[in-house]
Amino acid sequence: GESVGLHLPTLSVQEGDNSIINCAYSNSASDYFIWYKQESGKGPQFIIDIRSNMDKRQGQRVTVLLNKTVKHLSLQIAATQPGDSAVYFCAENIAQRGSNYKLTFGKGTLLTVNP
Amino acid sequence: SQTIHQWPATLVQPVGSPLSLECTVEGTSNPNLYWYRQAAGRGLQLLFYSVGIGQISSEVPQNLSASRPQDRQFILSSKKLLLSDSGFYLCAWSPRAGATNEKLFFGSGTQLSVL
């Protein structure tokens, strides 16, 4: 089965509020994590990534936090906008032999931003 | 810059008909290539990945096959489609040689409906 999952399948927030999307992973050997945003009918778009030697990484309006102790990953979106409405996926990577690797995706969280 | 092209965007096929979805990548060499399937409201399931021409790895037993006739071309095929093959198919690429833990870049997807 999947080793990456999400605590909340749906999240509804008001425009301007901060959003927090959570993700749990089960494989302690995972060394790289990515958050993707997928709008309806489109392919996933990269948002932000983090390596296992980091606890926090910030981008434009987004922050990813990694807690390796409890195998938990979160995506924080500041001042959420209607354009942020989408499904958000976390993905984990376990280094494969050589330079080949595969990502395992969680089921996704649907974020709805209310105006 | 690198771009990934995937077509067609939508496809309606009768049960038992053949399938061919094509994906090409521009602006990079020796990429890893991937086919994912996404059922409605679900996460992404890895179907096939390829680390080079003619090299295909299958992740799940199924009615589909993949081929890589050229370095930047990845084809998903079926001889006879089943109803259960319906879904959103995504092609993706990632850098192959060099640094590990690189993110995937996705195409725009093909919505396949088997009737």
Side-chain angles (χ1 to χ4, degrees), chain A residues 2 31-32 34 36 38 41-46 49 51 87 89 93-96 98-108, chain B residues 32 34 36 38 41-46 49 51 59 88 90 94-109:
Chain A
E2 294 180 73
D31 57 3
Y32 177 57
I34 307 175
Y36 282 92
Q38 186 179 26
K42 298 182 179 179
Q45 293 179 296
F46 168 84
D49 58 359
R51 304 186 190 281
V87 176
F89 292 96
N93 171 66
I94 304 171
Q96 307 291 313
S99 64
N100 304 320
Y101 46 87
K102 294 181 287 185
L103 288 179
T104 299
F105 287 81
K107 291 184 173 64
Chain B
N32 283 342
Y34 306 81
Y36 282 85
Q38 185 176 32
R42 301 291 298 276
L44 285 80
Q45 180 186 37
L46 179 61
Y49 72 95
V51 300
E59 288 296 296
F88 191 50
L90 289 156
S94 65
R96 178 184 172 193
T100 58
N101 298 333
E102 292 292 340
K103 51 188 171 285
L104 296 183
F105 299 91
F106 285 89
S108 54

Coordinates of all heavy atoms in Angstrom, one line a residue, chain A residues 2 31-32 34 36 38 41-46 49 51 87 89 93-96 98-108, chain B residues 32 34 36 38 41-46 49 51 59 88 90 94-109:
Chain A
E2 N 0.2 2.4 0.0 CA 0.9 3.7 -0.1 C 1.6 3.9 1.3 O 1.0 3.7 2.3 CB 0.0 4.8 -0.4 CG -0.6 4.7 -1.8 CD -1.5 5.8 -2.1 OE1 -1.1 7.0 -2.3 OE2 -2.7 5.6 -2.2
D31 N 14.1 10.4 1.8 CA 15.1 11.4 2.0 C 14.8 12.7 1.2 O 15.6 13.7 1.3 CB 16.5 10.9 1.5 CG 16.5 10.4 0.1 OD1 15.5 10.5 -0.6 OD2 17.6 9.9 -0.4
Y32 N 13.7 12.7 0.5 CA 13.4 13.9 -0.3 C 11.9 14.0 -0.4 O 11.2 13.0 -0.7 CB 14.0 13.8 -1.6 CG 13.8 14.9 -2.6 CD1 14.0 16.3 -2.3 CD2 13.2 14.7 -3.9 CE1 13.8 17.3 -3.2 CE2 13.0 15.7 -4.8 CZ 13.3 17.0 -4.4 OH 13.1 18.0 -5.3
I34 N 8.3 16.4 -1.7 CA 7.9 17.5 -2.6 C 6.4 17.7 -2.4 O 5.6 16.8 -2.1 CB 8.1 17.1 -4.1 CG1 9.5 16.6 -4.4 CG2 7.7 18.2 -5.0 CD1 9.7 16.1 -5.8
Y36 N 3.1 19.2 -4.5 CA 2.6 19.5 -5.8 C 1.2 20.1 -5.6 O 0.4 19.7 -4.7 CB 2.5 18.3 -6.7 CG 3.8 17.8 -7.3 CD1 4.6 16.9 -6.6 CD2 4.2 18.3 -8.5 CE1 5.8 16.4 -7.2 CE2 5.4 17.9 -9.1 CZ 6.2 16.9 -8.4 OH 7.4 16.5 -8.9
Q38 N -2.3 20.6 -7.9 CA -3.0 20.2 -9.1 C -4.3 20.8 -9.3 O -5.2 20.6 -8.5 CB -3.1 18.6 -9.2 CG -3.7 18.1 -10.5 CD -3.8 16.6 -10.5 OE1 -3.9 16.0 -9.5 NE2 -3.8 16.1 -11.8
G41 N -8.2 19.1 -14.0 CA -8.0 18.8 -15.4 C -6.6 19.1 -15.9 O -6.3 19.1 -17.1
K42 N -5.7 19.4 -14.9 CA -4.3 19.7 -15.3 C -3.3 18.8 -14.6 O -3.7 18.1 -13.7 CB -4.0 21.2 -14.9 CG -4.8 22.2 -15.7 CD -4.4 23.6 -15.3 CE -5.2 24.7 -16.0 NZ -4.8 26.1 -15.6
G43 N -2.1 18.8 -15.1 CA -1.1 18.0 -14.4 C -0.6 18.7 -13.2 O -0.7 19.9 -13.0
P44 N 0.0 17.9 -12.3 CA 0.5 18.5 -11.0 C 1.7 19.5 -11.3 O 2.5 19.3 -12.2 CB 1.0 17.3 -10.2 CG 0.3 16.2 -10.8 CD 0.1 16.5 -12.2
Q45 N 1.7 20.6 -10.5 CA 2.8 21.6 -10.6 C 3.6 21.6 -9.4 O 3.0 21.6 -8.3 CB 2.2 23.0 -10.9 CG 1.5 23.1 -12.2 CD 0.9 24.5 -12.3 OE1 0.0 24.9 -11.5 NE2 1.4 25.3 -13.2
F46 N 4.9 21.6 -9.5 CA 5.8 21.7 -8.4 C 5.6 23.0 -7.6 O 5.4 24.1 -8.1 CB 7.2 21.7 -8.9 CG 8.3 22.0 -7.8 CD1 8.7 21.0 -7.0 CD2 8.8 23.3 -7.7 CE1 9.7 21.3 -6.0 CE2 9.7 23.6 -6.8 CZ 10.2 22.6 -5.9
D49 N 10.1 21.9 -2.4 CA 10.6 20.6 -2.0 C 11.5 20.8 -0.7 O 11.8 21.9 -0.4 CB 11.4 19.9 -3.1 CG 12.6 20.8 -3.6 OD1 12.7 22.0 -3.1 OD2 13.3 20.4 -4.6
R51 N 14.7 18.5 1.5 CA 15.5 17.3 1.7 C 15.5 16.9 3.2 O 15.2 17.8 4.0 CB 16.9 17.6 1.2 CG 17.0 18.0 -0.2 CD 18.4 18.2 -0.8 NE 18.4 18.8 -2.1 CZ 18.1 18.2 -3.2 NH1 17.8 17.0 -3.2 NH2 18.1 18.9 -4.4
V87 N -6.0 20.7 -5.6 CA -5.7 19.5 -4.8 C -4.2 19.5 -4.6 O -3.4 19.8 -5.5 CB -6.1 18.2 -5.5 CG1 -5.6 17.0 -4.7 CG2 -7.6 18.1 -5.7
F89 N -0.8 17.6 -3.3 CA -0.2 16.2 -3.0 C 1.2 16.4 -2.4 O 2.0 17.2 -2.8 CB 0.0 15.5 -4.3 CG -1.3 15.1 -5.0 CD1 -1.8 15.8 -6.0 CD2 -1.9 13.9 -4.7 CE1 -3.0 15.5 -6.7 CE2 -3.1 13.5 -5.3 CZ -3.6 14.3 -6.3
N93 N 10.4 10.5 -1.8 CA 11.4 9.8 -2.6 C 12.3 9.0 -1.7 O 12.8 9.4 -0.7 CB 12.2 10.7 -3.4 CG 13.3 10.1 -4.1 OD1 13.1 9.2 -5.0 ND2 14.5 10.4 -3.7
I94 N 12.5 7.7 -2.2 CA 13.5 6.9 -1.5 C 14.6 6.7 -2.6 O 14.3 6.2 -3.7 CB 12.9 5.6 -1.1 CG1 11.7 5.8 -0.2 CG2 14.0 4.7 -0.4 CD1 11.0 4.6 0.2
A95 N 15.8 7.0 -2.3 CA 16.9 6.9 -3.2 C 17.0 5.4 -3.7 O 17.0 4.5 -2.9 CB 18.2 7.3 -2.6
Q96 N 17.0 5.3 -5.0 CA 17.1 4.0 -5.6 C 18.6 3.7 -6.0 O 19.4 4.6 -5.8 CB 16.2 3.9 -6.9 CG 14.8 4.3 -6.7 CD 14.0 3.3 -5.8 OE1 14.1 2.1 -6.0 NE2 13.3 3.7 -4.8
G98 N 21.9 3.7 -7.9 CA 22.4 4.7 -8.9 C 21.7 6.0 -8.8 O 21.4 6.5 -7.7
S99 N 21.4 6.6 -9.9 CA 20.7 7.9 -9.9 C 19.3 7.8 -10.3 O 18.6 8.7 -10.6 CB 21.4 8.8 -11.0 OG 21.3 8.3 -12.3
N100 N 18.7 6.6 -10.2 CA 17.3 6.4 -10.5 C 16.5 6.5 -9.2 O 16.9 6.1 -8.2 CB 17.1 5.0 -11.2 CG 18.0 4.9 -12.4 OD1 18.2 5.8 -13.1 ND2 18.6 3.7 -12.5
Y101 N 15.3 7.0 -9.4 CA 14.5 7.2 -8.2 C 13.0 7.2 -8.6 O 12.7 7.5 -9.7 CB 14.9 8.5 -7.4 CG 15.0 9.6 -8.4 CD1 14.0 10.4 -8.7 CD2 16.3 9.9 -8.9 CE1 14.1 11.5 -9.6 CE2 16.4 11.0 -9.8 CZ 15.3 11.8 -10.1 OH 15.5 12.8 -11.0
K102 N 12.2 7.0 -7.6 CA 10.7 7.0 -7.9 C 10.1 7.8 -6.7 O 10.5 7.7 -5.6 CB 10.2 5.6 -7.9 CG 10.7 4.8 -9.1 CD 10.1 3.5 -9.1 CE 10.7 2.6 -8.1 NZ 10.1 1.2 -8.2
L103 N 9.1 8.6 -7.1 CA 8.3 9.3 -6.1 C 7.0 8.5 -5.8 O 6.4 7.9 -6.7 CB 7.9 10.6 -6.6 CG 9.0 11.7 -6.7 CD1 8.4 13.0 -7.2 CD2 9.6 11.9 -5.3
T104 N 6.6 8.5 -4.5 CA 5.4 7.9 -4.1 C 4.5 9.1 -3.6 O 4.9 9.9 -2.8 CB 5.6 6.9 -2.9 OG1 6.4 5.9 -3.4 CG2 4.3 6.3 -2.5
F105 N 3.3 9.1 -4.2 CA 2.4 10.2 -3.9 C 1.3 9.8 -2.9 O 0.8 8.7 -2.8 CB 1.7 10.7 -5.2 CG 2.6 11.4 -6.1 CD1 3.4 10.7 -7.0 CD2 2.6 12.8 -6.1 CE1 4.3 11.4 -7.8 CE2 3.4 13.5 -7.0 CZ 4.2 12.8 -7.9
G106 N 1.0 10.8 -2.0 CA -0.2 10.7 -1.2 C -1.5 10.8 -2.0 O -1.5 11.1 -3.2
K107 N -2.6 10.7 -1.3 CA -3.9 10.7 -1.9 C -4.3 12.1 -2.3 O -5.2 12.4 -3.1 CB -5.0 10.1 -1.1 CG -4.8 8.5 -1.0 CD -5.9 7.9 -0.2 CE -5.8 6.4 -0.2 NZ -4.6 5.9 0.4
G108 N -3.8 13.1 -1.6 CA -4.1 14.5 -1.9 C -5.1 15.1 -1.0 O -6.0 14.4 -0.4
Chain B
N32 N 14.7 10.6 -17.2 CA 13.9 9.5 -16.8 C 12.5 9.9 -17.2 O 12.1 11.0 -17.1 CB 13.9 9.3 -15.3 CG 15.2 8.7 -14.8 OD1 15.9 8.0 -15.5 ND2 15.5 8.9 -13.5
Y34 N 8.2 8.8 -17.1 CA 7.2 8.1 -16.3 C 5.8 8.2 -16.9 O 5.5 9.2 -17.5 CB 7.2 8.7 -14.9 CG 8.5 8.8 -14.2 CD1 9.4 9.9 -14.5 CD2 8.9 7.9 -13.2 CE1 10.6 10.0 -13.8 CE2 10.1 8.0 -12.5 CZ 11.0 9.0 -12.9 OH 12.2 9.1 -12.2
Y36 N 2.0 7.9 -15.2 CA 1.1 7.8 -14.0 C -0.3 7.7 -14.4 O -0.7 8.3 -15.5 CB 1.3 9.0 -13.1 CG 2.6 9.0 -12.2 CD1 3.8 9.5 -12.7 CD2 2.5 8.5 -10.9 CE1 4.9 9.5 -12.0 CE2 3.7 8.5 -10.1 CZ 4.9 9.0 -10.7 OH 6.0 9.0 -9.9
Q38 N -4.2 8.5 -12.7 CA -4.9 9.1 -11.6 C -6.4 8.9 -11.8 O -7.0 9.4 -12.7 CB -4.7 10.6 -11.6 CG -5.2 11.3 -10.4 CD -4.8 12.8 -10.3 OE1 -4.7 13.4 -11.4 NE2 -4.7 13.3 -9.1
G41 N -10.5 11.8 -8.2 CA -10.5 12.0 -6.7 C -9.4 11.2 -6.0 O -9.5 11.1 -4.8
R42 N -8.5 10.6 -6.7 CA -7.5 9.8 -6.1 C -6.1 10.3 -6.4 O -5.9 11.3 -7.1 CB -7.6 8.4 -6.7 CG -9.0 7.7 -6.5 CD -9.2 7.4 -5.0 NE -8.3 6.4 -4.5 CZ -8.4 5.1 -4.6 NH1 -9.4 4.6 -5.3 NH2 -7.5 4.3 -4.1
G43 N -5.1 9.6 -5.8 CA -3.7 10.0 -5.9 C -3.2 9.5 -7.2 O -3.9 8.9 -8.1
L44 N -1.9 9.6 -7.4 CA -1.2 9.2 -8.6 C -0.6 7.9 -8.4 O 0.1 7.6 -7.5 CB -0.1 10.2 -9.0 CG -0.6 11.6 -9.6 CD1 -1.1 12.5 -8.5 CD2 0.5 12.2 -10.4
Q45 N -0.9 7.0 -9.4 CA -0.3 5.6 -9.3 C 0.7 5.5 -10.5 O 0.4 5.7 -11.6 CB -1.4 4.6 -9.6 CG -0.9 3.2 -9.6 CD -2.0 2.2 -9.9 OE1 -2.9 2.5 -10.8 NE2 -2.0 1.0 -9.3
L46 N 1.9 5.1 -10.1 CA 3.0 5.0 -11.1 C 2.7 3.7 -11.9 O 2.6 2.6 -11.3 CB 4.3 4.9 -10.4 CG 5.6 4.7 -11.3 CD1 5.7 5.8 -12.3 CD2 6.8 4.5 -10.5
Y49 N 8.1 3.3 -15.7 CA 9.1 4.3 -15.8 C 10.3 3.8 -16.6 O 10.4 2.5 -16.8 CB 9.6 4.8 -14.4 CG 10.5 3.8 -13.6 CD1 11.9 3.8 -13.7 CD2 9.9 2.8 -12.8 CE1 12.6 2.9 -13.0 CE2 10.6 1.9 -12.1 CZ 12.0 1.9 -12.2 OH 12.7 1.0 -11.4
V51 N 14.5 4.5 -17.8 CA 15.7 5.2 -17.6 C 16.5 5.3 -18.9 O 17.6 5.9 -18.9 CB 16.6 4.5 -16.5 CG1 15.8 4.5 -15.2 CG2 16.9 3.1 -16.9
E59 N 5.4 -1.1 -12.9 CA 5.1 -1.0 -11.5 C 4.0 -1.9 -11.1 O 3.9 -2.4 -9.9 CB 4.9 0.4 -11.0 CG 6.1 1.2 -11.0 CD 7.2 0.7 -10.1 OE1 6.9 0.8 -8.8 OE2 8.2 0.3 -10.5
F88 N -7.2 9.5 -15.7 CA -6.3 10.6 -16.2 C -4.9 10.2 -16.2 O -4.3 9.8 -15.2 CB -6.6 11.8 -15.2 CG -6.0 13.1 -15.6 CD1 -6.3 13.6 -16.9 CD2 -5.2 13.9 -14.8 CE1 -5.9 14.8 -17.3 CE2 -4.7 15.1 -15.2 CZ -5.1 15.6 -16.4
L90 N -0.9 10.7 -16.9 CA 0.1 11.8 -16.8 C 1.4 11.2 -17.2 O 1.9 10.2 -16.6 CB 0.1 12.4 -15.4 CG -1.1 13.2 -15.0 CD1 -1.3 13.3 -13.5 CD2 -1.0 14.6 -15.6
S94 N 12.1 13.5 -15.4 CA 13.0 14.0 -14.4 C 14.5 13.8 -14.9 O 14.7 13.0 -15.8 CB 12.9 13.2 -13.1 OG 13.2 11.9 -13.2
P95 N 15.4 14.6 -14.4 CA 16.8 14.5 -14.8 C 17.3 13.1 -14.4 O 16.9 12.6 -13.4 CB 17.5 15.6 -14.0 CG 16.5 16.6 -13.7 CD 15.2 15.8 -13.5
R96 N 18.1 12.5 -15.2 CA 18.6 11.2 -15.0 C 19.9 11.2 -14.3 O 20.1 10.7 -13.2 CB 18.6 10.4 -16.3 CG 19.1 9.0 -16.1 CD 19.2 8.3 -17.5 NE 19.8 7.0 -17.4 CZ 20.3 6.3 -18.4 NH1 20.1 6.8 -19.6 NH2 20.9 5.1 -18.2
A97 N 20.9 11.6 -15.0 CA 22.3 11.6 -14.6 C 22.6 12.7 -13.6 O 21.9 13.7 -13.6 CB 23.3 11.6 -15.7
G98 N 23.5 12.5 -12.7 CA 23.9 13.6 -11.8 C 23.2 13.5 -10.5 O 23.1 12.5 -9.9
A99 N 22.7 14.7 -10.0 CA 22.1 14.8 -8.7 C 20.9 13.9 -8.5 O 20.1 13.7 -9.5 CB 21.7 16.2 -8.4
T100 N 20.8 13.3 -7.4 CA 19.6 12.5 -7.1 C 18.5 13.4 -6.5 O 18.8 14.6 -6.3 CB 19.9 11.4 -6.1 OG1 20.5 12.0 -4.9 CG2 20.9 10.4 -6.7
N101 N 17.4 12.9 -6.1 CA 16.4 13.6 -5.5 C 15.9 14.8 -6.3 O 15.8 15.9 -5.7 CB 16.8 14.0 -4.1 CG 17.1 12.9 -3.2 OD1 16.6 11.8 -3.4 ND2 18.0 13.1 -2.3
E102 N 15.7 14.6 -7.5 CA 15.1 15.7 -8.3 C 13.6 15.5 -8.5 O 13.1 14.4 -8.6 CB 15.8 15.7 -9.7 CG 17.3 16.1 -9.6 CD 17.5 17.5 -9.2 OE1 16.6 18.3 -9.3 OE2 18.6 17.9 -8.7
K103 N 13.0 16.6 -8.7 CA 11.5 16.6 -8.8 C 11.1 16.1 -10.2 O 11.8 16.2 -11.1 CB 10.9 17.9 -8.5 CG 11.6 19.1 -9.3 CD 11.1 20.4 -8.7 CE 11.9 21.6 -9.3 NZ 13.2 21.7 -8.7
L104 N 9.8 15.7 -10.3 CA 9.2 15.3 -11.5 C 8.5 16.6 -12.1 O 8.0 17.4 -11.4 CB 8.2 14.2 -11.3 CG 8.7 12.9 -10.8 CD1 7.5 11.9 -10.8 CD2 9.8 12.3 -11.7
F105 N 8.6 16.6 -13.5 CA 7.9 17.6 -14.2 C 6.8 16.9 -15.0 O 7.1 16.0 -15.8 CB 8.8 18.4 -15.1 CG 9.9 19.1 -14.4 CD1 11.1 18.4 -14.2 CD2 9.7 20.4 -13.9 CE1 12.1 19.1 -13.5 CE2 10.8 21.0 -13.2 CZ 12.0 20.4 -13.0
F106 N 5.5 17.3 -14.8 CA 4.4 16.6 -15.4 C 3.9 17.3 -16.7 O 4.0 18.5 -16.8 CB 3.3 16.6 -14.4 CG 3.5 15.6 -13.3 CD1 4.1 15.9 -12.1 CD2 3.0 14.2 -13.4 CE1 4.3 15.0 -11.1 CE2 3.3 13.3 -12.4 CZ 3.9 13.7 -11.3
G107 N 3.4 16.5 -17.5 CA 2.6 17.0 -18.7 C 1.2 17.4 -18.3 O 0.9 17.3 -17.1
S108 N 0.5 17.8 -19.3 CA -0.9 18.3 -19.0 C -1.9 17.2 -18.8 O -3.1 17.5 -18.5 CB -1.3 19.3 -20.1 OG -1.2 18.7 -21.4
G109 N -1.6 16.0 -19.1 CA -2.5 14.9 -18.9 C -3.4 14.6 -20.1 O -3.7 15.4 -20.9

